[in-house]
Amino acid sequence: MLTSTRLYGAAIALASGLYSLFAMDGVMASTADTVMVVVGAVAVVHGVVLLTPVADRLGNASGPLMVGYALVMLVNQAVAMGGGSSTDMRMGMDGSQMGEMMALDAGMVALAALMLVSGLIMLQADETGM
């Protein structure tokens, strides 16, 4: 049964997953980039599954999965902001080496927070609400 909770969860998973996939600059230069591509792909698949009868097989797992994706996204943002190791450096515009430290991706953080809340709501929903 396609419920409102399932529709909202699917929309959030698809938006977050697609953002993770398309926010890349085309080059996976770091572990953080790779993590975001993997989590993005998994979230997209989860979002599509929520729109199909296959979602019934997930049972109550969708909530914890959404919380897990959100936590990975948030932790990944925090780790990526912390910079890379000395072997994981990029060249700056002037030829100098710059650490991998990146600016906080506010869109990613907002979508991850929304996904976290969605997962928590799914955890609270009863069987008939999913």
Side-chain angles (χ1 to χ4, degrees):
M1 183 168 111
L2 194 58
T3 64
S4 296
T5 304
R6 194 179 284 179
L7 285 171
Y8 288 131
I12 292 166
L14 287 168
S16 300
L18 290 171
Y19 185 90
S20 296
L21 292 172
F22 293 113
M24 301 296 302
D25 58 4
V27 178
M28 288 194 297
S30 70
T31 304
D33 294 339
T34 304
V35 168
M36 287 319 302
V37 167
V38 170
V39 171
V42 170
V44 167
V45 169
H46 188 187
V48 170
V49 166
L50 286 173
L51 298 173
T52 69
V54 176
D56 293 332
R57 290 191 213 159
L58 287 176
N60 292 332
S62 282
L65 288 171
M66 296 279 272
V67 169
Y69 306 152
L71 292 175
V72 169
M73 293 166 82
L74 291 169
V75 168
N76 193 51
Q77 280 291 299
V79 169
M81 283 183 54
S85 67
S86 60
T87 59
D88 195 11
M89 304 291 271
R90 292 184 181 171
M91 295 301 286
M93 294 287 283
D94 62 355
S96 63
Q97 286 191 335
M98 297 173 15
E100 170 129 356
M101 188 176 289
M102 64 179 214
L104 179 70
D105 185 340
M108 182 67 65
V109 172
L111 285 169
L114 185 60
M115 184 177 275
L116 179 63
V117 170
S118 173
L120 293 172
I121 290 169
M122 289 174 139
L123 283 169
Q124 296 300 314
D126 62 332
E127 289 276 330
T128 59
M130 271 299 295

